[in-house]
Amino acid sequence: MDVSELAKKLDLSDSKLVVRKAAEIRRLCDVQFDSSVIGVGEVAKSLICLEIAATRLGVLFDRSSAVRLSGMSEKAYIRSYNSLHNGLGVKTKIDVRELAIQFGCVRIIPFVRDGLKLYKDRFVSSLPASRRASADFTRPVFTAVAFYLCAKKHKLKVDKLKLIELCGTSESEFSSVSVTMKDLCHDVFGVAKEKKDAREVQSNRDLLDALPSKRKAEDGGYLSDDGPELSCYKKRKQMETRDYEKWKSSVVASNQHNKKEAPCKRTKQSRLNFIKKSSDTQELEAIRALHFNFPVNHHQRVVYWIYSGIYVVLGSFAESYRLHSKQEEDQKNLVSKGAVVKGVLLQQLVQAVVATLLFALTGSDSQNTTSQNTSLLVLARQFVTAMLVMDAWQYFMHRYMHHNKFLYKHIHSLHHRLIVPYSYGALYNHPVEGLLNDTVGGALSFLVSGMSPRASIFFFSFATIKTVDDHCGLLIPGNLFHIFFKNNSAYHDVHHQLYGNKYNFSQPFFIMWDRILGTYMPYTLEEREGGGFETKPCKDYKDD
């Protein structure tokens, strides 16, 4: 296959200089030797020529794609590349300064240069006079080994396998040069106790030869795919395995030594708080958030029935504090008490289901799934914010349901069947109204205030108690809600009467929206014959 066609597949067709240089290197291969003899096919030869050209010109080359196109394994491709690279005599230039910058070892640059110079002098002096002129130290393996040994002496971390890949040699050849350099330059690298005679170090004389055919198999001249050398990835895995086994054996030996010294002593395992949560912890947090995140949960349902039950008991004994008599309660209301109980239970069930569905869609991403330690000042600010948001939402939604004839007739009129309201009828609404008014309003107040789920339990329990109190139909002296809030049972009783149907929409805390927007109806409390109180509008509103 032609070099230009392979360049297109490797996205190098735009680099005309690389293609031209690769074609030149391939022609040099054909002239100098037959690459098929050393196990390199025509396609692989073109790919290797492209890589050599790209490397020399500083162009990024995708070796993994080249290996795939060659049809060879990574190990065979690397060996073929090294053999062809060395056979052509193409020198890979490795500069000490560039290596130091790449590996972060700038301070060892002068030591590397001095050690490499000393190694060359001592090695050449040991050679016969006839061979000294042909000694070639331009191969990058010598520079790489000198750099690695200097870094090791100064206790600097250098990736040996990456260094081997950069100089285009094999691990065995790198090790051989390393042994020779350590033996001859003990005073520079400081790894040997005494100096050795260079003439006795003859194991690497063939490293100076130009052609790889003159080198032994362990020095990188063996090109078969069945050779013992592994890929860089497998080498790394083997090194990691050896390090792990070494660490494991040291730990086991240490434990055995400790057991021998103190066989009766029992150790306690300390608890570790990991930042990353396990799947079980995340599931627990999700369940906890589901339990807390929405206002309609079982806490509010329990509070609702307990508190309304207290008012039922008080109403049977405190006739003198009622706003309507028991007879009016039975005659004026348009729905039975049994139907009210069923309606409230249905309303609470629908809200619980909707809250669960809403959490399933949005609750898992909530940032408030864990309890937070907040100061009383922050907690008070959150409560006031939530009260204002809930009041604003429920005022405008409540008022709109009164002015929209369709919504009032089919939805909100269900609540106004209680002309004489009582405690456990506070949540007697149409399910749609409960969703729009209570669930959405509660969720908004929770999100805007930024309170934690634990704090929301107290807030929504408080809001539930206040709603029940507004519908209880009793004016008991000393009631704190009547002292601190103008929006009380008498205020809301006016709204449930026919003359106040278009007034007093505010609920459940403040009355500011009625005063600001002109829907406030002033009223008076008068004693009723037979005991109790009665709310009456002021004179200006009687004609309305």
Side-chain angles (χ1 to χ4, degrees):
M1 187 177 292
D2 188 55
V3 174
S4 58
E5 295 180 5
L6 291 173
K8 291 180 181 178
K9 294 185 177 182
L10 294 173
D11 295 331
L12 294 174
S13 57
D14 295 336
S15 303
K16 296 181 179 180
L17 189 59
V18 173
V19 177
R20 192 181 305 119
K21 189 66 177 177
E24 179 184 338
I25 295 173
R26 179 171 175 176
R27 288 193 295 271
L28 181 61
C29 290
D30 296 335
V31 171
Q32 192 161 341
F33 58 88
D34 186 2
S35 58
S36 62
V37 175
I38 59 174
V40 182
E42 293 300 317
V43 176
K45 181 170 64 174
S46 300
L47 290 169
I48 292 172
C49 292
L50 276 170
E51 183 171 358
I52 294 173
T55 304
R56 294 191 66 182
L57 295 174
V59 178
L60 187 63
F61 185 82
D62 188 1
R63 173 172 278 189
S64 60
S65 299
V67 171
R68 189 167 56 253
L69 289 173
S70 67
M72 304 168 67
S73 65
E74 181 184 2
K75 178 173 62 176
Y77 181 87
I78 293 174
R79 287 183 173 179
S80 301
Y81 174 83
N82 291 334
S83 299
L84 194 59
H85 190 274
N86 294 329
L88 290 172
V90 181
K91 307 297 182 183
T92 301
K93 295 181 180 179
I94 293 183
D95 185 62
V96 177
R97 184 171 174 272
E98 292 179 359
L99 286 177
I101 294 173
Q102 183 174 357
F103 290 96
C105 308
V106 179
R107 63 188 178 90
I108 67 171
I109 293 177
F111 300 102
V112 176
R113 289 174 176 170
D114 294 342
L116 190 58
K117 184 177 181 300
L118 183 63
Y119 171 73
K120 292 177 182 178
D121 294 341
R122 289 179 179 178
F123 198 95
V124 170
S125 63
S126 67
L127 294 175
S130 59
R131 294 199 60 186
R132 290 178 185 177
S134 62
D136 183 14
F137 291 96
T138 58
R139 293 185 56 212
V141 64
F142 297 103
T143 305
V145 171
F147 179 82
Y148 174 74
L149 292 177
C150 281
K152 188 176 180 181
K153 178 184 176 182
H154 290 83
K155 298 180 180 179
L156 299 174
K157 189 176 181 181
V158 172
D159 191 347
K160 180 180 177 182
L161 296 178
K162 187 176 181 181
L163 200 58
I164 291 173
E165 290 179 0
L166 285 175
C167 66
T169 184
S170 63
E171 187 174 358
S172 58
E173 186 179 38
F174 188 91
S175 300
S176 300
V177 177
S178 177
V179 171
T180 307
M181 198 170 290
K182 284 188 290 185
D183 290 340
L184 294 181
C185 303
H186 69 286
D187 47 349
V188 176
F189 303 114
V191 293
K193 293 183 178 179
E194 59 182 20
K195 179 181 177 181
K196 291 187 179 181
D197 188 359
R199 289 171 294 184
E200 297 177 359
V201 184
Q202 299 182 6
S203 59
N204 294 285
R205 292 289 178 87
D206 355 351
L207 291 176
L208 298 177
D209 296 327
L211 294 178
S213 58
K214 294 184 179 180
R215 299 204 304 270
K216 299 178 182 179
E218 57 269 18
D219 295 328
Y222 188 72
L223 298 177
S224 174
D225 193 22
D226 299 328
E229 189 173 340
L230 302 175
S231 65
C232 293
Y233 171 77
K234 291 183 179 180
K235 290 176 186 176
R236 283 194 179 93
K237 296 301 289 184
Q238 286 184 353
M239 292 177 63
E240 291 174 0
T241 304
R242 288 196 298 268
D243 293 340
Y244 170 74
E245 293 296 335
K246 184 177 178 181
W247 169 82
K248 182 179 177 181
S249 60
S250 64
V251 171
V252 171
S254 177
N255 290 339
Q256 291 176 353
H257 180 70
N258 292 337
K259 287 181 180 179
K260 291 179 181 179
E261 289 183 353
C264 298
K265 186 178 179 181
R266 299 182 63 184
T267 58
K268 293 183 179 180
Q269 184 177 2
S270 60
R271 296 182 64 185
L272 300 176
N273 295 323
F274 292 101
I275 296 177
K276 186 176 180 181
K277 298 180 180 178
S278 63
S279 58
D280 295 338
T281 306
Q282 292 176 349
E283 183 178 357
L284 180 61
E285 291 294 338
I287 295 174
R288 188 177 299 170
L290 176 62
H291 186 66
F292 290 140
N293 255 9
F294 287 91
V296 185
N297 55 48
H298 72 272
H299 294 92
Q300 281 68 58
R301 293 196 292 273
V302 172
V303 168
Y304 178 86
W305 289 110
I306 291 177
Y307 194 70
S308 59
I310 293 173
Y311 271 120
V312 170
V313 175
L314 291 176
S316 60
F317 296 103
E319 187 69 29
S320 57
Y321 301 116
R322 295 174 65 96
L323 294 175
H324 297 273
S325 63
K326 289 184 178 180
Q327 184 178 2
E328 289 180 337
E329 185 178 296
D330 295 333
Q331 290 179 354
K332 289 187 176 181
N333 287 335
L334 305 177
V335 61
S336 66
K337 293 182 178 180
V340 169
V341 172
K342 292 179 182 178
V344 172
L345 291 175
L346 175 63
Q347 168 81 357
Q348 291 177 338
L349 176 63
V350 170
Q351 289 182 343
V353 171
V354 171
T356 304
L357 293 176
L358 285 174
F359 171 75
L361 295 175
T362 61
S364 59
D365 297 330
S366 177
Q367 297 178 352
N368 293 322
T369 55
T370 57
S371 60
Q372 301 174 353
N373 295 324
T374 54
S375 63
L376 291 177
L377 184 63
V378 174
L379 195 62
R381 176 182 59 78
Q382 292 173 345
F383 266 54
V384 172
T385 303
M387 292 165 70
L388 293 173
V389 172
M390 181 176 284
D391 259 26
W393 176 266
Q394 292 200 2
Y395 173 83
F396 289 103
M397 185 59 65
H398 186 193
R399 181 175 177 178
Y400 182 70
M401 286 189 175
H402 272 272
H403 288 276
N404 187 293
K405 293 182 180 180
F406 177 83
L407 292 178
Y408 183 81
K409 179 179 179 181
H410 295 91
I411 295 178
H412 189 58
S413 62
L414 187 70
H415 180 70
H416 278 273
R417 292 181 183 180
L418 292 175
I419 299 173
V420 179
Y422 44 83
S423 58
Y424 57 89
L427 289 183
Y428 178 65
N429 298 318
H430 193 282
V432 175
E433 180 180 355
L435 174 63
L436 296 176
N437 213 18
D438 298 329
T439 304
V440 176
L444 284 175
S445 61
F446 171 76
L447 295 173
V448 173
S449 64
M451 65 176 63
S452 66
R454 190 175 298 277
S456 70
I457 294 177
F458 297 98
F459 173 75
F460 290 115
S461 298
F462 170 68
T464 300
I465 292 174
K466 182 66 174 66
T467 302
V468 172
D469 190 272
D470 293 345
H471 291 80
C472 68
L474 297 174
L475 280 177
I476 299 176
N479 190 331
L480 295 178
F481 290 115
H482 296 172
I483 296 173
F484 292 104
F485 296 98
K486 296 296 183 181
N487 194 338
N488 51 34
S489 56
Y491 183 88
H492 197 66
D493 182 72
V494 171
H495 176 72
H496 274 261
Q497 308 309 310
L498 293 177
Y499 58 80
N501 191 262
K502 300 292 184 180
Y503 298 93
N504 294 7
F505 296 111
S506 294
Q507 55 183 22
F509 301 109
F510 310 112
I511 63 172
M512 57 180 183
W513 288 111
D514 280 318
R515 287 187 177 274
I516 294 173
L517 299 177
T519 56
Y520 171 70
M521 174 180 279
Y523 60 92
T524 58
L525 284 173
E526 299 179 4
E527 294 187 2
R528 188 178 62 251
E529 294 182 5
F533 300 95
E534 183 178 359
T535 57
K536 290 187 177 181
C538 293
K539 294 181 180 180
D540 296 340
Y541 291 86
K542 281 187 177 180
D543 296 336
D544 294 342

